[in-house]
Amino acid sequence: MAKNKKKSFWKRITSSLFSKKQSQVENSARKKVPQNFHIEWKNASAKWSQFLLTKQVTQGLVVERSGYKLHKTNEKLFRLEGADFSILLATGNTLYPGKDGKISGILFVDEGNLNLAIQSDHNKLESFLSRLDLPKADMEFQWKMETTNDWRVILEWEKFWKEQLILQLSANTMALAILSIGEELKQFFESNATERQISLVRDEFFYVNHGKTGRSYSPHGKNKNIFEFGKAMTEFSEKIEFISNKREKEHET
């Protein structure tokens, strides 16, 4: 009788261990893994379209919901309207050419610098802006980006400098920049990146698709989520300027 009880006890133990192991195997099998680069990019692009509504409209009505409407004037200027309010929303310093050929925009400036600037005559806008002590990344690159779409200068670079730019960018930043700019930058990346770099950016698309980016997922991590694409684009523009300066110096020697 005692032997039967002992056997029954060990049978329950081994059965329990086997069940746990089987459960772990099944859970492991159910874990999602990244698919190929193009599938992950396609899925991430769909998520981008779903959540980044302001990027789906060039100009005009972005969204209308109960209590408000949001209209887009340009990449960084919006108007929020409701029954008893009409508010301009600016997502950053912006300059853009108007229909009449004049430069328009909104700039956030220090009032002291503004008073300093108006102590002199200025025949050109660039001269006036130079006295306002505006962030270089905000002004010089944004001016180029919004008047000539100048990020495309990288398409004309030599292979070496294209590779250097990719090396300077984290996979997370590269993924968000590709989502923000689109097919043209994706093709540039695929044509100049290593298999390892493509794999890392594919993983970033995968993380975007499953909400595994940003501080909410990893509080101490540095990766940006899909709503932080602006930071990625700032880094992208800064690295373009950095590599561009190095390239120019190299050509001068």
Side-chain angles (χ1 to χ4, degrees):
M1 188 74 175
K3 285 184 178 180
N4 288 337
K5 286 184 177 180
K6 192 173 183 180
K7 286 181 180 179
S8 178
F9 171 77
W10 284 111
K11 188 175 181 180
R12 289 198 302 271
I13 291 294
T14 54
S15 176
S16 175
L17 289 173
F18 178 81
S19 296
K20 286 182 179 179
K21 188 173 182 180
Q22 183 70 18
S23 177
Q24 289 173 351
V25 170
E26 289 175 356
N27 288 336
S28 178
R30 284 197 295 267
K31 283 183 180 178
K32 294 182 178 179
V33 295
Q35 300 184 70
N36 67 51
F37 180 88
H38 289 278
I39 290 176
E40 294 299 342
W41 171 73
K42 184 178 180 180
N43 292 340
S45 295
K47 181 152 288 192
W48 171 273
S49 299
Q50 178 185 355
F51 288 107
L52 277 298
L53 300 181
T54 59
K55 307 302 287 184
Q56 311 313 311
V57 178
T58 303
Q59 198 173 50
L61 182 66
V62 174
V63 66
E64 181 175 359
R65 301 199 189 282
S66 178
Y68 71 91
K69 295 179 183 178
L70 181 67
H71 296 268
K72 182 174 183 178
T73 301
N74 60 54
E75 279 302 307
K76 293 189 176 182
L77 188 60
F78 302 83
R79 181 183 294 277
L80 183 67
E81 294 183 337
D84 54 357
F85 58 85
S86 180
I87 301 171
L88 282 177
L89 303 176
T91 60
N93 289 334
T94 177
L95 295 174
Y96 57 94
K99 293 180 180 179
D100 57 0
K102 291 184 177 180
I103 298 297
S104 300
I106 289 182
L107 301 176
F108 296 89
V109 302
D110 177 82
E111 191 171 357
N113 289 332
L114 179 59
N115 278 279
L116 181 63
I118 60 178
Q119 301 302 312
S120 308
D121 294 334
H122 300 279
N123 295 322
K124 292 185 178 180
L125 175 61
E126 290 89 335
S127 172
F128 190 94
L129 296 182
S130 68
R131 303 300 297 273
L132 296 178
D133 195 28
L134 294 162
K136 193 173 184 180
D138 267 3
M139 291 313 306
E140 288 190 3
F141 193 81
Q142 285 301 330
W143 179 284
K144 293 176 183 176
M145 282 280 284
E146 293 173 8
T147 56
T148 63
N149 217 356
D150 204 55
W151 77 266
R152 287 188 174 87
V153 296
I154 67 176
L155 303 179
E156 306 301 322
W157 288 356
E158 298 82 1
K159 179 81 171 176
F160 171 79
W161 295 110
K162 292 176 180 178
E163 292 171 346
Q164 290 300 303
L165 175 63
I166 293 172
L167 281 171
Q168 288 289 322
L169 295 165
S170 70
N172 175 251
T173 294
M174 190 76 244
L176 292 178
I178 290 173
L179 288 174
S180 183
I181 292 175
E183 177 70 27
E184 198 167 7
L185 183 58
K186 180 181 80 72
Q187 290 180 2
F188 166 87
F189 175 70
E190 288 185 284
S191 299
N192 297 285
T194 64
E195 289 186 11
R196 173 63 175 164
Q197 289 167 333
I198 290 174
S199 176
L200 290 173
V201 171
R202 176 209 62 187
D203 290 348
E204 289 298 326
F205 289 146
F206 172 79
Y207 299 145
V208 166
N209 293 333
H210 294 88
K212 295 184 177 182
T213 57
R215 286 184 295 275
S216 59
Y217 180 76
S218 179
H220 304 293
K222 294 182 179 180
N223 281 3
K224 298 165 284 296
N225 64 39
I226 197 169
F227 294 107
E228 296 175 295
F229 69 91
K231 293 180 181 178
M233 290 306 298
T234 296
E235 291 177 27
F236 181 61
S237 67
E238 288 172 347
K239 295 303 181 183
I240 287 179
E241 184 177 5
F242 173 71
I243 296 298
S244 182
N245 289 338
K246 290 188 68 173
R247 179 174 174 270
E248 287 174 7
K249 288 179 181 178
E250 187 77 17
H251 285 180
E252 289 173 0
T253 58

